[in-house]
Amino acid sequence: MTITRRGVLGGLAGLAASSTLPAAAKDFWGQRLANAPREFLFGYGSLISGPSRTATSGRPVPAIAARISGSFGYVRSWASRFTPREGTAGFTALGIRPRMPGEEPGSINGVIFPVKDEAELAAFDAREGGYDRVELDQAHVEAIDWEGLPRVGKIWVYVPKESDGKGPADLQQPDVNFPLLQSYIDVVMQGSLDEGPDFARELIETTLDWSPFWLDDRPIARRAWADTPRSGAIDRLLATVEPAASQFRNRLYPELYAVRHLMGKAATPPR
């Protein structure tokens, strides 16, 4: 008996036709993964930096570029203080505060990133111990790149506490004991440049209360390029974009800061 190729193929086709069943693929449209995050944070200062977020979470944390509307009623300002601990001098950090009388409303750019679980959220709360975590209404938030906002869950933002810890921060402008620190600014600006130069310019333009009390505390301040990534790009933005540019000339190396602001007169005791 001779079996031809045509005969084999014909037999297989007949078998396939006789065993055809209705399609049984499931439809998962509209369903979310069981472990999808439902808590998100809006970072507008050092939390814009990916490495800074990783230092708290212990894992890389993705983020999307976003913006808070001026209708939220707050402005970003150098209005949050980290008080001295043993071996430290204290400094002024970025915070958000209610608009002062006569101030125009302005937007605040930053990033939104997911929080994995309650333990990770607690870690960020501990890091931001001088701040209260406040829920943002999504009506005040927009995504500003190709990614969209989370469709479910809560978005939180950290608002500086008053000294008594009971309400929004009063304005505490930088002073001789609590200057702007270039090392902190570098963290914020490096994260901002990761989102692009336009994002970084916007951050400077939407930040108030830049100060003449500005300490250049980079690890190798006189050769910043040797230790601080993108120091040249950061300095060009700070020197040319207002309102930072009007104070940039007052940035001083530690020894010159001490001569101008500290020697020959007693510094104000820290609060």
Side-chain angles (χ1 to χ4, degrees), residues 3-89:
I3 300 176
T4 65
R5 181 171 181 273
R6 180 178 296 179
V8 171
L9 293 177
L12 291 174
L15 180 61
S18 65
S19 60
T20 300
L21 298 174
K26 293 184 178 181
D27 185 359
F28 289 90
W29 182 258
Q31 296 187 36
R32 295 176 58 81
L33 294 175
N35 61 346
R38 301 209 173 229
E39 305 281 357
F40 301 85
L41 294 173
F42 182 93
Y44 55 84
S46 60
L47 287 175
I48 295 174
S49 163
S52 183
R53 296 192 301 271
T54 298
T56 300
S57 66
R59 66 185 182 96
V61 182
I64 66 170
R67 184 183 292 128
I68 298 176
S69 165
S71 62
F72 182 54
Y74 281 71
V75 294
R76 174 169 40 209
S77 165
W78 293 104
S80 178
R81 287 189 170 181
F82 282 79
T83 54
R85 295 174 294 178
E86 185 177 354
T88 67

Side-chain angles (χ1 to χ4, degrees), residues 143-223:
I144 57 177
D145 207 338
W146 63 270
E147 305 98 333
L149 293 177
R151 289 187 293 171
V152 298
K154 296 180 179 180
I155 301 175
W156 303 91
V157 64
Y158 288 107
V159 178
K161 296 177 180 178
E162 280 187 346
S163 56
D164 61 8
K166 295 180 180 179
D170 55 340
L171 176 61
Q172 300 184 89
Q173 292 189 347
D175 63 22
V176 64
N177 291 304
F178 294 89
L180 307 183
L181 293 188
Q182 188 61 48
S183 59
Y184 175 89
I185 295 171
D186 286 340
V187 172
V188 177
M189 293 300 296
Q190 286 161 356
S192 298
L193 285 169
D194 286 342
E195 302 296 334
D198 290 340
F199 184 100
R201 290 181 64 90
E202 180 179 336
L203 183 135
I204 296 173
E205 291 173 347
T206 57
T207 299
L208 302 181
D209 302 320
W210 295 85
S211 172
F213 297 104
W214 188 334
L215 177 63
D216 189 351
D217 66 332
R218 284 169 169 162
I220 310 178
R222 294 182 183 274
R223 295 192 303 118

